[in-house]
Amino acid sequence: MRSNILAFAIGIGLLQMQATLPALSPLAGVVLAALVLLWLGRRQPRVARVIAAVACTLAGFLWATVLAEHRLRDRLPSEWEGRDVQVVGVVASLPHGFERGERFAFDVEAVETPGARLPRRIMLSWYHGWLEDEWRDGLAIRPAERWRFTVRLKRPHGNANPHGFDYEAWLFERGLRATGYVRPRAVAQRLDDFVARPAYVIERLRDRLRRSFSEALGDAPYAGVLVALAVGDQQAIPAEQWRLFRQTGVIHLMSISGLHVTMVAALFAAVIGWLWRRGESLMLLVPAQKAAIAAGWLAAFVYAMIAGFSVPTQRTLYMLTVVALALWSGRNLGASRSLLLALLPVLWLDPWAVLAPGFWLSFAAVGLLFFVGTARVGVARGWRSALANWGTTQWAVTIGTLPLLLLMFQQFSLVSPLANAVAIPLVSFVITPLALLFAVIPWPLLLSIAHWLLSGLMAFLAWLVVWPVWEQPAPSLAATLLAVFGVIWLLLPRGFPARWLGLSLLLPALLWRAERPAAGEAWVDVLDVGQGLAVVVRTAGHTLLYDTGPLYSAESDAGQRIIVPYLRAHGVQRIDTLVVTHRDKDHSGGVVAVEEALPIGRRLSSMPELQPEPCVAGQTWEWDGVRFTMLHPAAADYERPAVRSNHMSCVLRVENAFGGVLLSSDIEARDEQALLGRAPALLRSEILLVPHHGSGTSSTAEFIAAVGAREAIIPVGYRNRFQHPRPDVVERYAGSRVWRTDRDGAVQLKLASGLPLSSYRTAYRRYWHGQ
């Protein structure tokens, strides 16, 4: 059974790696043929086991294909992107506030615009105006309300970068098949105050609890954490607190995860079991152990519902269900069988769970606890044994999840074991139960105690945060698998010979070094940051960052979301030169996050407020056989009054023996003419970063001819409000191969033999991309 469940899981995982969905009919035929072979070979056990494993792999592949095909049919037709559509539906999730509005899932019940077809569930943003009255009148929404909106939608789309977050996969897993916003000038009408369906009732309850927490805590600094622990609203936690949790390795505790659900179930089961044993009649009715098991499972179920039934809580609830049924029946399924029986319903109901890092981390953590726990069966009791078990558990989870953390996040907090040793029992057994108790008994003192304890924990974490965080490039899959095997070897029971060899198997992952260009070569990566620009140039021993992408909101920018993780994954620990070309927020929005994360050797910019060295035409330097030349602006441009920021864009040429790349930022037609008059020979380049995102104010025919690029890269956001690039501008590059970050994702080019170019969406395409 265990091998068959694993085979089924492997089949589901293989489907999620496909660029396109296979045809269902041939696949179903192959599965049927495997089942026939299994029946024919049933009398030969060894052959039957192999065929059964193959059949289960194919069955998992087929099942995931069927569900994916069904979900892909529920899509937004491309002809209805960007058009006003009037819909009627229900607010299906807890609205999450952001800087300029609120965001929520919306179940479409009826489409009132003739001819329009929309998916059943969409993600909507409702922006408020600049006036306070508009905020109050426009966004008084609650879950389970039926509304009539006029919306403008687009297909799911996210930034596509190596080692980046796949937003499209996140939306696809949750069945959110379009994103958009409520039109501000159209009339929004509330049709019903409450739609009584089970899922909506739960969301309304969560909303009521969140409001009660806000009323009780007011503007308390850690109110958002308590709200997140009680109802799963992670958006309530400020960005600086997330940063503290991440740097100390306790970020998993600040969102409702499997650990919280398990701890609440264990605590509730212990209390009910203790009380049950005090009632003689109750003991005769149902044994105390079974009553405790039922109570623990019920507590886990209720907590998972209040938490919004997120994917991590689903996994834990399924696992607890398997264990509870086994204990209730008096059967001992064993650790591995219990874990795999929990895995089966998770993947059966949600085959896209394998795409989430939390899936791997949660199952790995539970598996490690089972692994080291079964090895200590029969040890002595007492406080020494409890302390030893506690230490073993901390060691197992810390060292056991290390390979996955390095692969997925490229960092590991060195103080994580100490931070978790204090935070796990305090948050799981005291703070979270107090918050949940307030949900049942709305007594403000409970939250006051919880907030006081949380304040002490935050002070302790702030003391720990001064310690460094281990950061390194993302190891290869082979090194990660070797490290996983090393962890298993290292955690074998005491007395097993040569356990120390497990540490040596961890070394390739821990000491992994990122690939760098050879001497004389340069790698230029145009990142997909949406409507903005960020370019990373690497030579054999140096790194240059050209612009830092857009500012998305007060709490989010391209620096923290895309650029810093990308540099960390590629082993960049220092930026030798940072060029911030001009003031526009789509180019300078991430500069603060980049400066906080990495040391910077030299700053070049046309922005005096950054206190940089001004970028001026004529500046040159050479790194590792690669030459850098600044072509614009001229020194005289700084003396002109009230010059538009675009005209001050720093234009940089990167060249070596293999060719040149011209990075043009947001220059416009007059700047192109100035360059043609000042340095026409230096414009000649094989690759051109198209000026101003393909705007109609740039890319004159004379400039394009002077550059003569065979490759043209347009950094542009998907369906951006500026309508970049302009179709007529794209036509001017008919002699070049055109790349677009909204269509191709990040574009990597190598100033090496053959000048190879590649795009992330082409190399790592998945069947849900663009769908």
Side-chain angles (χ1 to χ4, degrees), residues 641-697:
V643 178
R644 283 186 59 192
S645 62
N646 285 351
H647 298 311
M648 298 300 293
S649 297
C650 306
V651 177
L652 181 67
R653 186 169 188 265
V654 184
E655 61 178 322
N656 61 6
F658 303 101
V661 179
L662 186 64
L663 305 177
S664 58
S665 188
D666 275 0
I667 59 172
E668 299 185 358
R670 86 171 205 184
D671 310 307
E672 295 174 357
Q673 294 302 314
L675 284 168
L676 288 169
R678 188 167 60 240
L682 292 176
L683 295 179
R684 197 75 182 176
S685 302
E686 284 71 19
I687 298 128
L688 170 65
L689 189 73
V690 172
H692 202 187
H693 317 286
S695 164
T697 62

Side-chain angles (χ1 to χ4, degrees), residues 183 210 254 280-281 310 539 554 575 589 629 648 718 730 760:
R183 294 288 283 160
R210 184 173 66 173
M254 300 308 152
E280 211 175 293
S281 58
S310 61
T539 65
I575 298 175
T629 306
M648 298 300 293
Y718 181 70
V730 176
Y760 182 76

Side-chain angles (χ1 to χ4, degrees), residues 209-210 212-213 216-217 222-232 256 260 264 267 303 306 426-451 453-454:
L209 291 175
R210 184 173 66 173
S212 66
F213 273 70
L217 292 170
Y222 308 119
V225 177
L226 293 176
V227 171
L229 291 174
V231 299
I256 296 176
H260 292 88
V264 167
L267 185 63
Y303 188 30
I306 294 176
L426 186 60
V427 171
S428 300
F429 288 115
V430 184
I431 295 176
T432 300
L434 284 172
L436 292 176
L437 189 58
F438 174 81
V440 179
I441 307 173
W443 187 23
L445 181 61
L446 296 173
L447 282 187
S448 298
I449 297 173
H451 190 273
L453 292 171
L454 186 58

Side-chain angles (χ1 to χ4, degrees), residues 379-458:
V379 295
R381 298 190 177 189
W383 67 268
R384 290 186 179 86
S385 176
L387 186 62
N389 285 332
W390 173 81
T392 301
T393 299
Q394 288 293 318
W395 163 250
V397 173
T398 300
I399 196 69
T401 57
L402 181 59
L404 293 178
L405 290 173
L406 293 180
L407 177 66
M408 297 174 181
F409 305 111
Q410 298 85 54
Q411 63 179 9
F412 174 73
S413 173
L414 296 177
V415 297
S416 173
L418 179 58
N420 278 284
V422 175
I424 287 177
L426 186 60
V427 171
S428 300
F429 288 115
V430 184
I431 295 176
T432 300
L434 284 172
L436 292 176
L437 189 58
F438 174 81
V440 179
I441 307 173
W443 187 23
L445 181 61
L446 296 173
L447 282 187
S448 298
I449 297 173
H451 190 273
W452 178 75
L453 292 171
L454 186 58
S455 299
L457 175 63
M458 297 295 287

